[in-house]
Amino acid sequence: MSSKSYRMWNGNVRDAALSILMAIEKNQAYSNLLLHQTIEKYDIEPKDRGLLTEITYGTLQHKMTLDYYLQPFIKGKLDDWVRQLLRLSLYQIHYLDRIPNHAAVNEAVEIAKKRSHKGTAGLVNGILRGILRQGVRSTEDIADPIERLSIEASHPLWLIERWVKQFGFEQAETMAFENNIPPALTVRVNTTRISVDEAIDMLLDEGIVAHQSEVIPECLHIEKGQVAKTKAYQYGAVSIQDESSMIPTYALQIEPGQRVLDMCAAPGGKSMHIAEKLNGQGSLVSVDLHPHKVKLIADQATRLGFENVETRTWDSRELTNEYEEQSFDRILVDAPCSGLGVIRRKPDIKYTKKQEDFASLHNIQIRLLDEAYKLIKPNGLIVYSTCTIDEVENNGTVQEFLANHTDMMLDELNVLPEAYHHLTSNGMIHIFPQDFNSDGFFVAAFRKKELSSKEVK
């Protein structure tokens, strides 16, 4: 590639998608954050915003499949940006019906000319036109079904093997393909400020069609539109949050007047859901490690009108240096995790996560839960949640925590909305992306036994 420097956005959707894809691959930038920042920074118009999002996410989601299709047409080594350009161009040709093939090829050639020279443009043109003439090869040529699923659904082989072992081939297959479908857009109504019906009407006044969820009453499904730009959002009537991530707050069984701790609170979605359940009574301490993330929580509390939320920048593994033991009624440990339940929201996760990451995450989760154990009152509840569906990661943490603390027991989850009951088992719930068209999530609730006077002695 030439030494020219390029703005992330120069008015060309495909060129911007290429820049974003390059940044994700080279710098391991988060796809959702980089895309959002690009759209906001350059105030990209809605007509371009949709195509930019689709090409960026679609190319990422299908990267391994696209490489499989491209491989027979590539001779020799390619620069990374040329490979990315071929991927995003083939994505348009193979997956998008509304873009004419010749338009996708011509755009790719122009971008190659602009970023390099005629020789590179000729190479790109030759490969793409070769694919148009011959078509892509079939995945049926891959004999091994697990390897074939890995390529067809574009998930690393180790991940598919792990899921097949944990859940069976059919469940793994459904989940892998579901991960390539864009997630539903949902918001949570701040019922301390406005009713669900009033929120629906308020959004409709601004041209956004929303309807109430069939499983969580304060959740609205948004058909389309930029909710964050609305007066309803600025007024604090609604907050953007995935439906499954509302489940941990239900498991906490919040009652007004309680003292609640959220140990890994940023960016604040679950914290604010807790504050809504407290309804202005009691108190909430929301903690996170990074100051800039804690500011996001404080901003949310201000927008939603909560004065009983204390935000703290602290390492939650050392909170007993700040708060007395047995001083909280409820504690949420929404722990750092592998994130395998939110792949369709952040498709880069499936390519960057490694098996060796699981051990370090497990150790962090256990240390957080051990600290929560010291801080929870007798008969209090600790809710442990993750946005991953990995059974070893979730169940392994639960079993080790229980083994280390014999006065803790799993609490029943029959307090969850009825639609989730069939997914609960032994005080835990695994929600897969395909269950409710939402993020994959795991929740377990631990109750601290009240020891008798004889046991205390």
Side-chain angles (χ1 to χ4, degrees):
M1 186 176 174
S2 74
S3 59
K4 294 177 185 175
S5 61
Y6 288 89
R7 284 160 51 88
M8 192 66 81
W9 173 254
N10 58 12
N12 185 308
V13 171
R14 292 161 182 84
D15 193 72
L18 175 58
S19 295
I20 292 171
L21 289 166
M22 289 294 294
I24 293 168
E25 186 124 324
K26 290 179 69 175
N27 307 324
Q28 297 198 335
Y30 289 117
S31 54
N32 59 328
L33 295 179
L34 189 55
L35 193 56
H36 177 72
Q37 288 167 1
T38 303
I39 289 170
E40 290 295 313
K41 180 177 179 180
Y42 298 104
D43 195 21
I44 297 174
E45 293 184 11
K47 66 181 178 62
D48 291 328
R49 194 182 301 161
L51 184 58
L52 176 63
T53 302
E54 181 157 17
I55 291 177
T56 304
Y57 273 125
T59 305
L60 259 181
Q61 284 162 340
H62 299 280
K63 184 173 80 170
M64 291 174 60
T65 319
L66 293 166
D67 283 351
Y68 175 81
Y69 291 152
L70 283 167
Q71 194 273 330
F73 297 91
I74 295 174
K75 313 296 179 190
K77 184 172 170 49
L78 290 179
D79 286 343
D80 290 341
W81 73 270
V82 177
R83 185 176 296 277
Q84 288 286 8
L85 179 60
L86 290 169
R87 282 175 184 155
L88 73 86
S89 302
L90 181 54
Y91 170 72
Q92 297 166 67
I93 291 169
H94 189 72
Y95 291 97
L96 301 184
D97 295 331
R98 67 180 186 277
I99 296 177
N101 291 341
H102 66 83
V105 175
N106 291 341
E107 287 280 355
V109 170
E110 290 304 313
I111 290 171
K113 281 183 192 172
K114 182 180 168 189
R115 292 198 175 224
S116 182
H117 48 70
K118 288 185 178 179
T120 308
L123 175 70
V124 168
N125 186 52
I127 290 173
L128 293 177
R129 294 201 181 279
I131 292 173
L132 288 179
R133 283 194 304 272
Q134 299 176 38
V136 296
R137 58 178 170 168
S138 171
T139 53
E140 292 300 319
D141 297 339
I142 305 172
D144 182 82
I146 295 178
E147 187 180 343
R148 184 166 61 249
L149 175 57
S150 165
I151 296 297
E152 286 179 337
S154 192
H155 283 58
L157 183 59
W158 71 265
L159 189 53
I160 295 295
E161 289 174 334
R162 189 177 176 98
W163 286 350
V164 169
K165 187 176 180 182
Q166 291 182 5
F167 312 117
F169 186 88
E170 187 175 343
Q171 185 83 300
E173 181 183 41
T174 304
M175 182 158 53
F177 283 113
E178 187 78 18
N179 283 339
N180 292 334
I181 299 172
L185 174 59
T186 54
V187 298
R188 188 191 71 249
V189 177
N190 176 9
T191 54
T192 68
R193 178 160 282 184
I194 194 169
S195 73
V196 169
D197 288 341
E198 287 170 336
I200 291 172
D201 290 343
M202 197 170 180
L203 288 167
L204 189 59
D205 286 344
E206 298 185 74
I208 292 181
V209 177
H211 57 88
Q212 188 175 21
S213 164
E214 294 179 356
V215 293
I216 294 185
E218 64 266 42
C219 177
L220 302 182
H221 285 247
I222 306 296
E223 291 192 8
K224 63 178 180 179
Q226 294 288 307
V227 174
K229 303 280 188 185
T230 63
K231 291 177 183 174
Y233 180 85
Q234 300 302 328
Y235 172 65
V238 296
S239 298
I240 299 168
Q241 186 180 18
D242 179 77
E243 190 161 22
S244 289
S245 74
M246 301 179 196
I247 290 300
T249 299
Y250 273 89
L252 279 166
Q253 302 180 47
I254 299 292
E255 295 176 11
Q258 289 178 331
R259 181 167 163 78
V260 185
L261 170 65
D262 185 354
M263 292 178 72
C264 308
K270 298 179 193 67
S271 262
M272 295 307 103
H273 197 194
I274 291 168
E276 288 162 14
K277 295 293 185 187
L278 284 171
N279 199 21
Q281 300 173 53
S283 63
L284 168 64
V285 179
S286 298
V287 183
D288 205 89
L289 191 58
H290 305 290
H292 67 286
K293 292 185 177 179
V294 172
K295 183 178 182 306
L296 295 176
I297 307 168
D299 290 346
Q300 291 294 318
T302 300
R303 182 179 65 86
L304 295 168
F306 297 124
E307 297 180 352
N308 58 337
V309 178
E310 174 190 351
T311 55
R312 296 294 304 272
T313 302
W314 206 264
D315 185 341
S316 286
R317 292 167 292 187
E318 299 173 354
L319 272 177
T320 45
N321 293 334
E322 285 291 294
Y323 298 98
E324 289 186 14
E325 295 193 9
Q326 301 189 0
S327 59
F328 290 93
D329 299 292
R330 299 285 186 267
I331 297 178
L332 174 61
V333 182
D334 188 48
C337 68
S338 59
L340 299 180
V342 293
I343 285 176
R344 61 181 173 178
R345 206 174 288 281
K346 303 173 184 174
D348 38 303
I349 285 178
K350 61 185 176 183
Y351 307 120
T352 55
K353 201 60 67 180
K354 297 180 176 61
Q355 295 212 62
E356 51 266 34
D357 296 336
F358 289 84
S360 60
L361 289 166
H362 172 74
N363 291 336
I364 293 171
Q365 293 177 7
I366 286 294
R367 284 194 58 188
L368 287 165
L369 284 168
D370 286 346
E371 198 72 354
Y373 168 80
K374 297 173 191 170
L375 292 163
I376 196 72
K377 292 178 181 178
N379 201 37
L381 272 177
I382 298 172
V383 166
Y384 159 63
S385 63
T386 69
C387 60
T388 191
I389 45 71
D390 191 83
E391 197 168 64
V392 173
E393 182 179 351
N394 293 325
N395 291 28
T397 298
V398 167
Q399 296 311 319
E400 183 172 333
F401 178 68
L402 289 173
N404 292 342
H405 305 287
T406 54
D407 57 338
M408 299 298 296
M409 60 182 182
L410 283 167
D411 203 54
E412 291 298 323
L413 288 176
N414 53 13
V415 293
L416 301 185
E418 190 174 351
Y420 291 87
H421 288 186
H422 73 287
L423 297 175
T424 64
S425 176
N426 300 320
M428 298 178 276
I429 181 168
H430 280 93
I431 304 169
F432 291 93
Q434 61 266 35
D435 288 328
F436 295 102
N437 190 27
S438 61
D439 290 345
F441 236 84
F442 172 83
V443 176
F446 305 103
R447 188 175 292 278
K448 194 174 199 176
K449 297 176 188 173
E450 283 190 290
L451 299 180
S452 65
S453 56
K454 186 177 178 181
E455 288 174 306
V456 171
K457 292 176 183 175

